[in-house]
Each structure stands twice: as structure tokens, then as C-alpha cells.
């Protein structure tokens, strides 16, 4: 099965989860608007969400998949047991730390927040902290399924968490921000239980035999993800020194930026990690195939989001406590974020490809470059322009990191890039021509027409990629 077709299956599942996530945020906007309560919620979930990004979309799968795929029989069972046993000790220590010293975590993600925000975040953190362990077990189960080329159901499991948070948000009229916080914890548990069979089919051993060996590969990839996630920590801290609700602005805008990123960039990079791990001799072929797929989806997504940012934000968020002023601010932040979408897609694809061949040095250097660039640019743009500057700094930092990775890998499908860019510009021109009404639903028609135009011209100028999607030939 081709990388493109596998990515499509992954994307379908991810799309459902992201739509639920969008609906969740629409409810947040309606019930909480841009407020200190929502800021406190985001701070409280950021630590487990940070580890979910590291484990589920980064270090755990990048280190686990190549090593797990090499082993068989009893050795595979002992390897899995070693990883679970070793990390259980580490994660239990982190949970205890969060209970005894919650201020450390709160100040890590929201140092400039108001006193009332920090007090509420401390209460909410006591609820969210146990989810860390279930997220870890979910990441292990997720990685096992990916190694066996099963992508659809694992990618669908985050939907469970979104559903429980949505239920909690509906209950917030009675219980306040506490109820979606409890929903976050319950969702994390159910995510793991939904794919627990992938672990239970292995025999358990009380051993740490393979854990030191695993850490040798995990630690560099972990540090790469930690360094890359420093961007989030810095961004949240910079905006926390602004008015109440600034953290909420970033979260609202990032929802739409992360929608195509999760659907396409993460999908392709997850699939290519498994493909290269099981077929390392064809590294260049799989990498180029993955880059074409990434560009095919992220470039038109960037163009569309930038042009339609305001009507999109207005349609989904401008209800209840979310005002027209909030719409304008959020749409500007979304534009700034979206400028970096294709670059972070390329960044994710190349980094995961390197991890598949156990090259952890290059992605680590790239992540360090991105983070240092982001910190410097946050100080330049973020402190001056607030949340919009922070989002712009994130995009520029991603561009800088991609330039380094492209130089190191020395390959890029330039002809495909030009074709995709041309098709995207044609799509934009058509969307611009039909932008003749202020009807709040019209942007949905523009999106549908834009997608249709893009696919038609892609089928004309880019037949190879379309043909591989339609037939999904095994290479």
C-alpha cells in the first residue's frame, strides 16, 4: 500500500477526531469565550498534552517502531515489557511531582498569568495529572498497531477524548470548568482501553532487560521533541504576560492551523516512519513519495486558510461570549500560523524519516535551530505584537528549520512543488472571483469549489500522484 493511500486512511480517521475537536472549541467559545477560566484549563492540560505530543507523535513512536519491528517472538514480548516497566517508574514519579509541586508546572506554561488563573489551574492540574500514564500506555499501543501497518483505528482514538470533553463542556453550566477537565481525564483513560488488545496479546515479563538499549535511541528523539515543544512553552509564557485570554486566543487559532497539519503532515510522517522502518534500503524513494504527499495537501490548505480565515473564525466561534473583536484577533493569529504550515509538514516528514533509520542527530540539531529561532523571534515579534507576533515567530522558525533539513537530506521534489503551487494559485484565483457575498455560509461553498478546482487541475498537471492515490499500488 502506497504512502499516499495509507496517509489518506490515517487522515480520514484524524479528520473525524479534528472535527470533534473543533466542535469542542466552538463550545468553549460559547460557554467560556476568552477568559481566565479557559486559560487555567489550557495550562492544566498542557503538561499531559505535552507528553502526548512527545509520546504519541514523537519520541516514543520514533524510537519504539524501528526497534520493535526488528524483534520477534519472546524477544519482542520482553522488549515491550521492558519499555512499559521502565517508563511506569518514571511517569509515576512525574505524577507525584505534579501533585506535590504543581506550581512548577503552572509557571512552566503560564508564568505571567494572573493570580486567579494560577489558583484555578492548580486545582485543575490535580485532576489532569493521572492522565499522563494512560497517555503513555496509549502511545505504546498506538505504536504497536502502526508497526503492523494499522493506522485507521489508532488515529481515530483521540476522538474518544474529544467526546468526553464535549460532554463535560455541556455540563459546565452546572459544574463550571471542572467538568470538561474531568472529561479530559476520562477520555485519556478510554483512549488507551480502546486499543489495549495490542498490548494484551503479548506475554508480560517482569524485566528491564531492553530498557537501557531502548533509552539510547529514545533519549535523543525525546530531547528532539522536548526541544521542539519548547516553542509551545515559550509561546504560552510570552502571551501570558498580556491581557487575560491571550492563551485562549492562541488555542482557538491553532485549532484551524492544526487541523490540516494533523490531517496531512502528521498522517504522512506517521506512515513514512513505519514504511522506512520496514524497508530502509528504499529510503530516498519513500522520503520523496512522502514529501510529494505532504506538499500536495499542505500548500492548498495554507492558501485557503489565509484567504478565508476571517469568515471561518466568525462562523465557528462568534457565538455567545466570543465577540467580533475576538474574531478579528483570532483570524490574524491564524494567518500568521498558517504561513508555516507547509514548512512544518516538510519538517515533520524529514525528521520522522531520519528517525526510521535511527539517525537522531540531524532531527535534534534541526529542532534546536527551530527552538532557538523561535525564542529569539518571540522576543522580537511576540513582545511587540502579542499573540499575532508569537504565531508569526513560530512560522518563521519552522522555515529556518526546514532549510537546514533540506540542506542535510539534499533532495526535494522541486517540479512537484511548482506544479502543486500553480494548482493552488489557480484555486485561489477561482475562490477570489466568487467572493461576492457577505453571507456567513458562503465560505463553505468557496471551500467546496476550491477543492474541486484544485483536484481537477491536479488531475491534469499532476497525474502521477492522483493515479497512485486512486490505485494505491503496492511498491
Amino acid at each position: 500500500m502506497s504512502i499516499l493511500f495509507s496517509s489518506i486512511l490515517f487522515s480520514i480517521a484524524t479528520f473525524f477526531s479534528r472535527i470533534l475537536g473543533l466542535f469542542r472549541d466552538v463550545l468553549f467559545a460559547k460557554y467560556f469565550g476568552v477568559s481566565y477560566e479557559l486559560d487555567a484549563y489550557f495550562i492544566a492540560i498542557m503538561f499531559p498534552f505535552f507528553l502526548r505530543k512527545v509520546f504519541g507523535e514523537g519520541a516514543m513512536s520514533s524510537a519504539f517502531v524501528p526497534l520493535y519491528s526488528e524483534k520477534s517472538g519472546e524477544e519482542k514480548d520482553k522488549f515491550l515489557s521492558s519499555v512499559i516497566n521502565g517508563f511506569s517508574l518514571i511517569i509515576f514519579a512525574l505524577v507525584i511531582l505534579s501533585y506535590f509541586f504543581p506550581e512548577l508546572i503552572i509557571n512552566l506554561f503560564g508564568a505571567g498569568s494572573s493570580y486567579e488563573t494560577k489558583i484555578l489551574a492548580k486545582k485543575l492540574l490535580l485532576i489532569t495529572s493521572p492522565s499522563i500514564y494512560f497517555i503513555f500506555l496509549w502511545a505504546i499501543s498506538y505504536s504497536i498497531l502502526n508497526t503492523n501497518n494499522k493506522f485507521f483505528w489508532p488515529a481515530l482514538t483521540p476522538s474518544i477524548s474529544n467526546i468526553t470533553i464535549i460532554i463535560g463542556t455541556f455540563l459546565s453550566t452546572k459544574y463550571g470548568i471542572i467538568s470538561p477537565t474531568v472529561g479530559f481525564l476520562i477520555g485519556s483513560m478510554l483512549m488507551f482501553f480502546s486499543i489495549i488488545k495490542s498490548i494484551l496479546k503479548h506475554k508480560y515479563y517482569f524485566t528491564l532487560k531492553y530498557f537501557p538499549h531502548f533509552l539510547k535511541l529514545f533519549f535523543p528523539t525525546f530531547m528532539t521533541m522536548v526541544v521542539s515543544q519548547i516553542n509551545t512553552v515559550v509561546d504560552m509564557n510570552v502571551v501570558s504576560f498580556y491581557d487575560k485570554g491571550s492563551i485562549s486566543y492562541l488555542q482557538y487559532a491553532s485549532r484551524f492551523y492544526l487541523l490540516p497539519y494533523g490531517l496531512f503532515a502528521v498522517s504522512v510522517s506517521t506512515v513514512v516512519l513505519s514504511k522506512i522502518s520496514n524497508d530502509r534500503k528504499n529510503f530516498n524513494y519513500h522520503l520523496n513519495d512522502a514529501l510529494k504527499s505532504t506538499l500536495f495537501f499542505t500548500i492548498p490548505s495554507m492558501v485557503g486558510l489565509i484567504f478565508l480565515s476571517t469568515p471561518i473564525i466568525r462562523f465557528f466561534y462568534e457565538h455567545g461570549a466570543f465577540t467580533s473583536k475576538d474574531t478579528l484577533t483570532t483570524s490574524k493569529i491564524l494567518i500568521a500560523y498558517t504561513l508555516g504550515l507547509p514548512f512544518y509538514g516538510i519538517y515533520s516528514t524529514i525528521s520522522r524519516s531520519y528517525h526510521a533509520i535511527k539517525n537522531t542527530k540531524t532531527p535534534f540539531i534541526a529542532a534546536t535551530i527551530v527552538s532557538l529561532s523561535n525564542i529569539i523571534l518571540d522576543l522580537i515579534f511576540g513582545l511587540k505584537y502579542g499573540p499575532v507576533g508569537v504565531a508569526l515567530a513560530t512560522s518563521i522558525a519552522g522555515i529556518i528549520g526546514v532549510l537546514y533539513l533540506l540542506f542535510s537530506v539534499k533532495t526535494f521534489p522541486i517540479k512537484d512543488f511548482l506544479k502543486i503551487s500553480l494548482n493552488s494559485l489557480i484555486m485561489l484565483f477561482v475562490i477570489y472571483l466568487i467572493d461576492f457575498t457577505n453571507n456567513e455560509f458562503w465560505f463553505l461553498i468557496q471551500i467546496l469549489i476550491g477543492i474541486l478546482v484544485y483536484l481537477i487541475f491536479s488531475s491534469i498537471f499532476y497525474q502521477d500522484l492522483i493515479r497512485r492515490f486512486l490505485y494505491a499500488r503496492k511498491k
Side-chain angles (χ1 to χ4, degrees), residues 35-50 53 105-114 117-118 121 125 228-252 254 258 333 337 374-375 378-379 382-383 386-391 393-394:
S35 61
Y36 85 92
E37 292 98 339
L38 199 58
D39 281 358
Y41 169 83
F42 286 131
I43 292 172
I45 70 167
M46 193 52 63
F47 186 46
F49 186 74
F50 171 85
K53 296 286 288 185
I105 296 173
I106 293 169
N107 286 323
L108 178 65
F109 294 103
S113 299
S114 64
T117 301
K118 289 183 177 181
L125 183 63
S228 65
Q229 290 300 310
I230 286 176
N231 290 352
T232 302
V233 177
V234 175
D235 290 351
M236 289 186 64
N237 273 286
V238 169
V239 299
S240 71
F241 286 95
Y242 280 77
D243 296 334
K244 294 178 183 178
S246 293
I247 294 176
S248 300
Y249 277 131
L250 282 185
Q251 296 298 322
Y252 284 132
S254 66
L258 292 175
I333 298 170
Y337 267 136
N374 187 74
I375 292 171
D378 267 349
L379 296 177
L383 294 178
V388 176
V390 165
T394 299

Side-chain angles (χ1 to χ4, degrees), residues 113-221:
S113 299
S114 64
Y115 176 76
E116 59 184 345
T117 301
K118 289 183 177 181
I119 291 298
L120 180 57
K122 182 177 179 179
K123 295 178 181 178
L124 301 182
L125 183 63
L126 299 179
I127 299 173
T128 61
S129 290
S131 63
I132 297 172
Y133 187 62
F134 294 100
I135 288 172
F136 155 70
L137 293 175
W138 166 80
I140 289 290
S141 305
Y142 183 100
S143 299
I144 292 173
L145 291 171
N146 283 176
T147 305
N148 295 320
N149 290 318
K150 296 178 180 179
F151 301 101
F152 182 79
W153 176 244
L156 196 62
T157 53
S159 302
I160 299 171
S161 178
N162 285 329
I163 291 172
T164 56
I165 295 172
I166 287 170
I167 294 172
T169 306
F170 279 121
L171 295 174
S172 65
T173 54
K174 183 176 182 180
Y175 301 104
I177 197 67
I178 294 292
S179 55
T181 308
V182 173
F184 179 86
L185 172 61
I186 295 173
S188 300
M189 297 168 63
L190 294 179
M191 280 171 56
F192 164 60
F193 292 136
S194 68
I195 53 176
I196 192 174
K197 286 185 178 180
S198 61
I199 288 181
L200 294 180
K201 70 178 184 179
H202 290 78
K203 185 177 180 180
Y204 174 76
Y205 291 89
F206 191 75
T207 178
L208 293 173
K209 178 181 178 181
Y210 294 99
F211 191 59
H213 176 64
F214 175 76
L215 285 180
K216 290 181 180 179
L217 185 60
F218 172 82
F219 187 73
T221 56

